[in-house]
Amino acid sequence: MIFVLSKLGWALVRPGNLLALMLILGLMFQATRRPPFQRLGKKLVMASVLLVAALTLLPVGQMTLRPLEDRFPQPELPGRIDGIVLLGGSVNTEMSADRGQPVLNSAGERITAFVALARRYPEAKLIFTGGSGYVFAGDLREADVIRTVLDGLGFDTSRIVFERESRNTYENALFSRPLADPVPGETWLLITSAAHMPRSVGIFRHAEWPVTAYPVDYRTAGSLTWSPDLLYGLDALNESLREWVGLAAYRLMDRTDSWFPGPVRND
């Protein structure tokens, strides 16, 4: 139930949908013959226009996304790694099923980093965790698609333990931990998008599985840049807001170890 509610709630508050709703309501209210509704409609339309202008002309998305991406720096890799965990989120399972071939999304760097690290540490345990993040999931799971992708790249998938039932990051940690069976003192790398890393590390720590963050899939540069682009600004704000809301929600549900997990654990 929580999974379904989270999907519905996010559909309502994601920035693009909110802007569209404000414009629709604003135009509908202005079409009425009641002055109070007409005034409210004008305010909603004006607010929508101002938000679009801000997202186009100002680095709003970058400013909200960079703190997430900068939270965990690139680690200094040791000589030995006991295990590597790759989180799902880099393929589109529905489109892959429809088209009959793997369809990657913009987080494909997760896969390339995983392959490079797995070859660097041939003795490390390898875990992929990811089922489907859709409410009405089909039979195809992300783990199935990733297996196909890695087979096609010539990688030995027999090295990997695939977990294919999880639907979100909380279940990633919950379902893959028994498969990995980590013991105290082991060093495990966690690979996911840089913006998603704070929430992911907090969840794994809460599951008593200490991991070393290996962030990839950056969407912002090292410093703020000015480039008028509504779609980029909206996409960056969409991703950052999802993570900030997710951090707060998971903390309230006691699924993460702190409000804003960082490199040093704060119990």
Side-chain angles (χ1 to χ4, degrees):
M1 181 60 70
I2 291 178
F3 172 75
V4 175
L5 291 176
S6 68
K7 293 296 181 180
L8 293 176
W10 175 240
L12 293 174
V13 303
R14 62 187 305 166
N17 291 353
L18 278 178
L19 276 174
L21 182 61
M22 289 170 63
L23 282 171
I24 292 170
L25 290 177
L27 293 173
M28 289 176 59
F29 288 159
Q30 287 189 72
T32 67
R33 295 184 179 181
R34 298 183 178 182
F37 284 101
Q38 290 178 332
R39 289 193 294 269
L40 177 59
K42 290 180 181 179
K43 290 179 180 179
L44 286 173
V45 171
M46 181 59 69
S48 302
V49 172
L50 291 175
L51 286 173
V52 168
L55 289 172
T56 303
L57 301 175
L58 301 175
V60 177
Q62 294 181 59
M63 290 188 291
T64 56
L65 193 57
R66 278 190 63 204
L68 292 162
E69 294 196 332
D70 292 344
R71 188 62 168 169
F72 286 88
Q74 286 292 320
E76 293 186 8
L77 294 175
R80 174 182 171 82
I81 292 293
D82 296 289
I84 304 171
V85 183
L86 173 60
L87 296 190
S90 55
V91 302
N92 186 312
T93 52
E94 285 192 339
M95 208 172 289
S96 297
D98 289 342
R99 295 299 183 180
Q101 65 181 41
V103 177
L104 304 182
N105 58 32
S106 59
E109 294 97 319
R110 300 186 190 188
I111 302 173
T112 57
F114 177 74
V115 171
L117 289 168
R119 287 175 173 163
R120 179 171 178 174
Y121 299 103
E123 302 302 319
K125 301 176 185 177
L126 304 178
I127 304 287
F128 175 83
T129 171
S132 176
Y134 296 101
V135 175
F136 302 104
D139 293 331
L140 189 68
R141 296 291 187 266
E142 190 166 354
D144 306 327
V145 181
I146 291 294
R147 187 192 296 271
T148 301
V149 170
L150 294 178
D151 276 334
L153 294 174
F155 188 84
D156 181 10
T157 55
S158 66
R159 292 182 56 194
I160 307 172
V161 176
F162 290 93
E163 184 285 305
R164 62 188 302 274
E165 300 302 325
S166 56
R167 300 170 298 174
N168 52 37
T169 312
Y170 173 72
E171 293 184 354
N172 287 153
L174 184 67
F175 296 166
S176 61
R177 192 184 191 287
L179 301 176
D181 192 25
V183 299
E186 287 188 339
T187 300
W188 283 79
L189 290 182
L190 178 66
I191 302 174
T192 191
S193 301
H196 186 50
M197 190 60 78
R199 184 156 55 111
S200 301
V201 169
I203 292 168
F204 273 72
R205 284 175 179 168
H206 188 268
E208 299 301 326
W209 188 355
V211 290
T212 298
Y214 193 88
V216 296
D217 182 31
Y218 289 89
R219 306 297 174 88
T220 64
S223 58
L224 294 176
T225 58
W226 188 79
S227 178
D229 188 335
L230 173 60
L231 293 180
Y232 170 74
L234 191 58
D235 182 63
L237 181 61
N238 180 74
E239 183 168 354
S240 63
L241 184 60
R242 179 179 59 196
E243 290 304 322
W244 290 117
V245 170
L247 280 166
Y250 272 43
R251 183 56 178 166
L252 291 171
M253 291 188 293
D254 193 29
R255 289 185 170 184
T256 185
D257 72 322
S258 66
W259 289 100
F260 192 27
V264 179
R265 180 169 185 170
N266 296 314
D267 292 313

